[in-house]
Amino acid sequence: MATSSSAGRVLSLCKQFQNVVRISSAVNTQSCSPALTKLPPRQYREKSPLAALSWRSPSSSVAPCRALHTTISRRGLDEFFDLPENWGETTVKSGAPWTAKQLRTKSNEDLHKLWYVLLKEKNLLLTLEQEAKRQRVPMSSPERIRKVERSMIRLETVVNERESALRMLQTGQEKARPGAWRRDKFGHVYWYRFKEYAIPWYMNRRYKRKSFFTPKFVQPHIRLRLEKYLRQRARKTSLERRTQSKLKEKFPHANISAS
Amino acid sequence: ITSRYPLYQLGNPQLRIFRPNWFLTLVRPGKEQPPDTVQFRIPMEMTKYDVKNYLEKIYDVPVGAIRTRIQFGSNKKRNHLHQKVKQPDYKVAYVQLAQGQTFTFPDIFPEKELKHEEGSMEEMQEKFMEDEKQRQRLDPRRGGVTEWFGL
């Protein structure tokens, strides 16, 4: 496992990728959609973003891996459409979405490039969906859109985690957007997030109409609501206890479920 | 994106947006458009300059003129509860490509010969239907004429 250079690191990142890089000449013969388990869409077609990093260190000192240069594919508006072999197919194979655990292993540059790969894939799928609706034909494998959406959401969470950690270390602030704990008219305490305005709050008429306090006549309602909540919680625990005791009575030798 | 981008006032620098959350849908034009025009459905928050930068930076497509309009989604249809159902509004962008490029919307759903795998249920069904049709067909020696009359 060559870990001293970026090229080696890149190629050893995932096993599938090593296979893909070796059979780079046989790329065009396959017609299935290339997002095969863990690889982002069209990964083996364009061999980017992970492979493109390797051109920076052509004279790497690591023997087993050769420096690899790949060109970015520039197809302009054709990137809104799938490969021509997949036009008219009812099902197009695609791999699993990226998980947050996998994304956390990637560098920031990789995540940035992956975001754009996913963005372009989502645009492609949306155009396909719209055209399918237009032609009154079922869209081929619509679950791809959900997969891409989930991958993007997880990417966003990973990036936010990193940003938040950095902010905590540098400034000591937990949240990027300032806010405060406030009460609303019904007695609920919630985190109110501040919004950016061009004028101060005392000149903002709509903001002044909002009241962040609980009037005194709402106190009985709050008490009743609290009682209801406690009653429901008590009912739930007593029901659980009752079912457990009944089961114990019926099946005395059964082991207790871990619930 | 509007939540991430800070409030703009005159004189502020134009900030970059990393990892934009906007998705463009290329659509087939309903009416006949000039050959260099591409029609997109874009999110309501995007502007002409946003679309121009998006296409130029992400897709490397040279953009000339660009015009946008907002399509009102109908609120006329009613469901089984007689409630009005709103079709979502969307913004349409007509992008004219620079450098004399042209674009025609391709046919993405061509008619394909459906070949079933050997020994599958569908293949047997297809064969059965073929045999039935063959039996129903009239005698080719009589030239397709029915057997109601004649010898």
Side-chain angles (χ1 to χ4, degrees), chain A residues 85 87 89 123 127 134, chain B residues 20 24 26 28 59-60 112:
Chain A
E85 303 95 61
W87 291 359
E89 299 279 330
N123 285 347
T127 44
R134 186 62 167 274
Chain B
L24 266 56
L26 229 179
R28 186 188 286 271
Y59 283 91
D60 199 22
K112 272 199 180 170

Side-chain angles (χ1 to χ4, degrees), chain B residues 38-56:
Chain B
V38 191
Q39 197 172 332
F40 288 100
R41 282 199 191 175
I42 60 181
M44 294 283 264
E45 300 88 20
M46 276 184 100
T47 54
K48 293 183 189 181
Y49 304 101
D50 287 329
V51 176
K52 190 173 158 83
N53 287 337
Y54 190 103
L55 288 172
E56 280 179 348

Side-chain angles (χ1 to χ4, degrees), chain B residues 26-142:
Chain B
L26 229 179
V27 296
R28 186 188 286 271
K31 292 189 179 172
E32 197 58 42
Q33 296 288 339
D36 59 345
T37 306
V38 191
Q39 197 172 332
F40 288 100
R41 282 199 191 175
I42 60 181
M44 294 283 264
E45 300 88 20
M46 276 184 100
T47 54
K48 293 183 189 181
Y49 304 101
D50 287 329
V51 176
K52 190 173 158 83
N53 287 337
Y54 190 103
L55 288 172
E56 280 179 348
K57 299 271 161 63
I58 301 179
Y59 283 91
D60 199 22
V61 162
V63 166
I66 168 164
R67 297 176 295 278
T68 56
R69 66 176 177 93
I70 296 182
Q71 175 60 50
F72 172 75
S74 89
N75 200 10
K76 199 175 194 182
K77 284 193 178 166
R78 288 174 188 262
N79 61 6
H80 63 285
L81 298 167
H82 200 58
Q83 296 161 343
K84 279 197 185 175
V85 177
K86 165 84 182 159
Q87 240 72 275
D89 298 332
Y90 54 89
K91 201 182 252 196
V92 181
Y94 299 93
V95 174
Q96 288 191 302
L97 304 169
Q99 292 159 25
Q101 289 183 10
T102 55
F103 178 78
T104 48
F105 200 93
D107 179 25
I108 306 184
F109 297 100
E111 289 294 321
K112 272 199 180 170
E113 258 305 316
L114 198 53
K115 203 83 195 83
H116 297 295
E117 67 209 41
E118 297 300 308
S120 73
M121 199 59 195
E122 289 92 29
E123 226 234 303
M124 289 200 294
Q125 283 171 346
E126 273 296 319
K127 243 174 127 154
F128 181 71
M129 294 305 289
E130 264 297 317
D131 288 337
E132 280 297 311
K133 283 200 192 110
Q134 177 57 38
R135 279 185 44 204
Q136 294 292 335
R137 256 175 249 144
L138 304 156
D139 197 355
R141 293 172 292 183
R142 283 172 59 83

Side-chain angles (χ1 to χ4, degrees), chain A residues 4-56:
Chain A
S4 51
S5 78
S6 66
R9 226 183 309 129
V10 153
L11 288 173
S12 59
L13 263 171
C14 45
K15 285 208 193 83
Q16 289 98 328
F17 208 88
Q18 283 180 327
N19 292 334
V20 157
V21 166
R22 261 183 245 129
I23 52 168
S24 56
S25 58
V27 152
N28 290 327
T29 53
Q30 293 202 37
S31 63
C32 70
S33 177
L36 300 166
T37 45
K38 292 208 283 186
L39 299 177
R42 316 262 205 94
Q43 177 71 337
Y44 73 73
R45 213 30 236 311
E46 302 171 344
K47 301 192 212 71
S48 70
L50 300 181
L53 295 176
S54 58
W55 69 266
R56 267 192 247 137

Side-chain angles (χ1 to χ4, degrees), chain A residues 44-102:
Chain A
Y44 73 73
R45 213 30 236 311
E46 302 171 344
K47 301 192 212 71
S48 70
L50 300 181
L53 295 176
S54 58
W55 69 266
R56 267 192 247 137
S57 58
S59 56
S60 58
S61 55
V62 182
C65 42
R66 281 191 318 231
L68 172 64
H69 177 74
T70 57
T71 46
I72 333 161
S73 67
R74 289 204 178 105
R75 300 176 306 136
L77 288 171
D78 285 339
E79 292 207 63
F80 279 100
F81 304 103
D82 213 346
L83 303 170
E85 303 95 61
N86 291 343
W87 291 359
E89 299 279 330
T90 39
T91 46
V92 177
K93 278 197 231 166
S94 59
W98 286 87
T99 62
K101 198 172 164 189
Q102 289 158 4

